[in-house]
Each structure stands twice: as structure tokens, then as C-alpha cells.
Amino acid sequence: MKTLKKKALMMAAVAAIVLGTLAVSYFTGPNAEADSTYNDNHGKVKNVIFLIPDGFSASYGTNYRWFKGKKSKMDEILVGMHRTYSADTKVTDSAAAGTAMATGVKTNNGMISMSPDGKKLKSILETVEEKGKATGLIATTTITYATPAVFASHVASRTNEALIAPQLLENGVDVLLGGGKKYFPAQLITKAKKGGYHYISSRDELLKGAAKSNKLLGLFADDALAPSLDRAETNQPTLAEMTETAINILQKNKEGFFLMVEGSQIDWAGHDNDAAWAMNDVAAFEEALVKALSFAKKDRHTLVVVAGDHDTGGMSVGGYDLYEANVEILRNVTATGDYMVTKLNARRSNVKAVVKKYTGLDLTDDEVGKVRAASKPDMAINKIVSERARIGWTSKVHTGVDIPLYAYGPGSDLFRGLHENTDLPVLMAKATKIKFDGK
């Protein structure tokens, strides 16, 4: 018996040594990424970067993969899905969806961080501010539009952007970047400067020293910024440039920061059924995500969360009763339908030449006739381009499908599975060990 016990002990000791050796090899050799992944998921969360591709759904993600020709950065960090319905309808608008994602509470369409019965709802941004963290909001629409507004203002109707603007400043958001200059009259800009904001209005100013500021207000257009396809005609920054500048400013705060970055015009492209605009604005959004992930990988205390607020347009991959998709042709499109229309002459006799110049497509006589006769020639052009790409659309507004959810960094494991959109700010707070219920 003693001999058997000795043999058993010796075998256990050898097994322990072998397993230990394998473990060391695993976490220092080719599989070292596993250790990194564990640390990424379980480390301390100091910062949260919440990126919202407005209007983006799984079909946008699939079409974008074909458009790009390889996996996207979103694909690499996919963890789950979330449900988007609002308090009063199965198909949400951006105000109600944003409110849910900012406050953890469902509300009615059109309402900005207020409950259906009119009570103000505290946002995750306002909560982290109370903990001493820096905050920032970025959008390619007006900075007073629904999605950025829900994080730092409270109004009964999203249309009241003039009332939202002063609230963003009164709330003390450290970095505000986007369009909407028309909602910030001279006296409000003056008040912002007295409050410590460095004010800029062009891409040149953003890139030349703006990151040295501690508080930054950047308003780069009277209304929304130009679509990414058309922005070369302006002096407006890219979403990636705004994101990088914001991170450089906010990371100065030793307590950490919360930053919301919206790829706003993916949604607008969906409303116009403009497939090329949509794909190019997803590409611009991905470039901003790369900036966020690059910082997070170096910092190791930053949680990155990506979630569209709803689907727009009911986009399909393939369509028109054909088993094919031809998304690649969108790579040749160099302008939005909106922009192409501005190049048409009064009689629209140059339709064929304009569309050829900006899309590379040779229109048939029938297609030319449809554009010339259309009450909305931009939509007619978009429909032709989409049909050539075999991308279908079911709507010019939103749909109620579930939306992909992506996460990277410490706390990212919390976002796995199917969630309500109201779960997102609660999980962000949980990751940062901050108490938050949104009420």
C-alpha cells in the first residue's frame, strides 16, 4: 500500500509540473493573448468611451464588410445584441433610444432624458461628473441633436435645440465637438469662454493646438457637418480627428473620463436610402473607433462600448429577387445623392454625365428618365445606385430590429448576450464601480 501511495504522489507531482510548464508556455508563448484577454476583461475601469453609430444594424455591418473587403474593427469585438423599442412604440426614434442608453430608462419617442410623465432622468454622464471625471460629447450632426443631447440636457421635445445648447454648457461637459453653431448665439459663446472653454470653429484650429486645452467647444458648421463623402469640400474635421483630440484632453483628468462619440450620419444616409453615403460614414466611424481602441489598448483601464441606437431604412444585403449582392460598386461613388443633385442643371439634361462622374455608372435611358421626372431626384439617384449594388430598403424611417453590441477592455464581458438598451449605462456604471440607476 505504501508503495502505491508513493507512486500516486510521484505521479501527481509530475502532473503538476507538466501542467505548470504548459501554463507558463500558454501565457508566454503563442497563446499569451489569452492572458491579455483575461486582464482586459477583469482590470480596473477608469475611463469609458461609448461610440454610437446612429442607425447602424447587422445589415449595415454585413454590407460594410463586403464594402471594405475584409472584417471590420467592430467584427473583432462583437459580444451581443440589444433591443431598441421605446416606452410608447416598438419602433424607437433617436431621442427615446438615446435616453434609454444614457439614463437606463425607457421613454416616449421625441423626449430627451425625461420620463413619459415629464420627470428629469439623470444620465450616466451626469453621474460620472459627480465622481470628478471629465466628460465629452462628439457628433457629426448638430451637437444639440437627439443623441448627444440626451447625455447632458433635459427637454420634453428633441426639436428644442435652442434650449438644449445652454444646458450642455451649464452641465459642464468638458469637450463638445460637432455642428450646430446656429444654436449658440454670440452671448452664449462669450459665456462659454468666460467659463473656461477654448472655442474653435474649423478643422485647422482643431489640429493646431486644441488638445492643449482643458475645456473645448468646437462648432464646425451652422447646422450639421457635411457627410464624410462631401467633407473634403469643407474645413470640417473627421470624426476620428475629433475623437483623438477629445481623448487627449479628457485623459488629463486623474479621475478618468466618459466620452460619447456619435457617427450621426449613418442614420441620415439610411433615411435617404443612400447606400454609398451609409458605407462611407460607417468607414469614418470605424476610423474613430480605431482611435478609441488604440488608446484603450495602451491605457488598459478603458472600456470601449459600441452600439447603434436603432436601425434606419431596413437595409438588406442583396435584393430585387436575385441571389446576389454587388456592394463593391459603392467604392466608386464619390458623392452623396444630395450633392449630385446640386450639380444638375435646371432641365436635368446632364443627369447621365453627373451620375457617371460621381458613381462610375452608365445610366440607361429609362434610369435617366426616372431621375429627370422625380420630385426628389436625389432619392431617385440613390434608388438606382442601391439597385445596382443589390442593396434593398424597406423604409425611409427606422425599424425595430435588434442591434449588434460590441465591447472591448475591462468590463467588456458584462455586455455579452441579449440586453435591453436600458442595460447599457447600468453596465458601464457597474464596470466603473459607480452606483447608478438613472432615476
Side-chain angles (χ1 to χ4, degrees):
M1 288 291 292
K2 288 183 178 179
T3 303
L4 287 172
K5 285 182 178 179
K6 282 184 178 181
K7 285 184 177 179
L9 288 170
M10 287 179 65
M11 290 175 69
V14 170
I17 292 169
V18 171
L19 287 172
T21 302
L22 287 173
V24 170
S25 173
Y26 186 85
F27 288 117
T28 58
N31 297 305
E33 187 67 28
D35 185 40
S36 173
T37 300
Y38 181 86
N39 287 334
D40 284 343
N41 284 338
H42 297 82
K44 179 182 178 182
V45 178
K46 184 178 177 182
N47 314 306
V48 175
I49 304 177
F50 188 13
L51 297 104
I52 301 176
D54 197 307
F56 181 94
S57 62
S59 56
Y60 281 75
T62 304
N63 275 321
Y64 180 66
R65 193 183 304 119
W66 289 116
F67 174 81
K68 184 179 179 181
K70 58 182 179 180
K71 288 200 306 182
S72 72
K73 292 296 180 183
M74 287 80 79
D75 290 336
E76 297 173 9
I77 58 173
L78 178 67
V79 294
M81 303 281 285
H82 74 96
R83 303 174 67 192
T84 66
Y85 64 93
S86 63
D88 61 343
T89 176
K90 296 180 180 69
V91 181
T92 190
D93 81 328
S94 289
T99 295
M101 296 164 79
T103 71
V105 179
K106 297 272 189 183
T107 195
N108 296 338
N109 283 5
M111 301 185 78
I112 299 291
S113 289
M114 296 186 75
S115 65
D117 59 358
K119 295 178 182 177
K120 290 184 179 180
L121 302 169
K122 182 181 286 188
S123 74
I124 183 68
L125 181 147
E126 292 169 320
T127 300
V128 302
E129 279 182 336
E130 293 175 350
K131 301 298 180 181
K133 293 182 183 290
T135 57
L137 297 172
I138 301 173
T140 54
T141 54
T142 57
I143 196 62
T144 49
Y145 215 62
T147 303
V150 297
F151 288 91
S153 69
H154 308 269
V155 294
S157 173
R158 59 180 291 176
T159 61
N160 203 341
E161 294 186 62
L163 185 59
I164 290 167
Q167 289 190 46
L168 299 180
L169 297 174
E170 291 163 7
N171 226 315
V173 183
D174 297 284
V175 176
L176 293 163
L177 301 174
K181 197 183 303 181
K182 67 182 182 182
Y183 297 113
F184 291 79
Q187 62 267 32
L188 193 57
I189 298 293
T190 299
K191 185 178 179 180
K193 290 177 179 178
K194 289 180 179 178
Y197 284 94
H198 175 48
Y199 172 66
I200 59 173
S201 58
S202 71
R203 177 175 183 264
D204 292 340
E205 291 176 300
L206 180 81
L207 300 181
K208 292 179 181 177
K212 296 177 182 177
S213 312
N214 291 320
K215 292 173 75 73
L216 181 64
L217 173 62
L219 302 173
F220 307 107
D222 284 338
D223 208 311
L225 273 60
S228 58
L229 265 176
D230 306 336
R231 207 168 299 165
E233 304 288 324
T234 73
N235 191 13
Q236 299 168 0
T238 66
L239 190 62
E241 289 167 344
M242 291 189 284
T243 300
E244 184 173 38
T245 299
I247 290 172
N248 288 337
I249 293 172
L250 298 175
Q251 68 173 318
K252 298 174 188 176
N253 188 310
K254 293 180 180 179
E255 299 300 319
F257 66 84
F258 175 91
L259 171 64
M260 191 288 297
V261 179
E262 185 191 29
S264 318
Q265 296 194 33
I266 300 168
D267 170 67
W268 286 17
H271 282 293
D272 272 9
N273 291 179
D274 190 329
W277 180 1
M279 293 299 99
N280 279 276
D281 262 74
V282 174
F285 176 83
E286 185 183 31
E287 290 173 4
L289 174 60
V290 167
K291 296 295 183 183
L293 290 174
S294 177
F295 173 77
K297 288 173 182 177
K298 292 175 184 176
D299 177 71
R300 296 181 69 83
H301 296 293
T302 298
L303 168 64
V304 177
V305 178
V306 180
D309 51 353
H310 52 71
D311 168 77
T312 303
M315 174 191 280
S316 72
V317 182
Y320 310 95
D321 301 320
L322 297 167
Y323 286 97
E324 61 182 55
N326 193 20
V327 183
E328 294 80 6
I329 72 163
L330 299 178
R331 298 172 191 164
N332 299 322
V333 180
T334 58
T336 62
D338 282 350
Y339 184 83
M340 283 185 254
V341 167
T342 67
K343 299 302 178 181
L344 297 179
N345 60 33
R347 295 174 56 202
R348 300 183 191 171
S349 59
N350 62 338
V351 166
K352 194 163 189 173
V354 168
V355 173
K356 174 70 173 179
K357 177 178 180 180
Y358 293 105
T359 70
L361 300 175
D362 290 307
L363 298 191
T364 65
D365 290 343
D366 181 58
E367 289 170 333
V368 169
K370 287 178 179 177
V371 176
R372 294 190 67 178
S375 59
K376 295 183 177 179
D378 56 326
M379 298 295 288
I381 292 171
N382 296 341
K383 184 175 182 179
I384 292 166
V385 174
S386 290
E387 187 166 353
R388 294 289 191 96
R390 302 293 185 251
I391 290 176
W393 302 91
T394 64
S395 177
K396 293 182 179 64
V397 294
H398 302 171
T399 74
V401 299
D402 296 345
I403 303 298
L405 178 58
Y406 311 87
Y408 172 85
S412 58
D413 53 328
L414 296 171
F415 294 84
R416 292 176 183 163
L418 176 62
H419 295 274
E420 295 286 348
N421 54 5
T422 50
D423 295 340
L424 304 188
V426 176
L427 294 175
M428 291 175 200
K430 183 176 181 180
T432 53
K433 294 181 168 54
I434 292 174
K435 185 178 179 182
F436 173 75
D437 61 12
K439 300 176 182 178

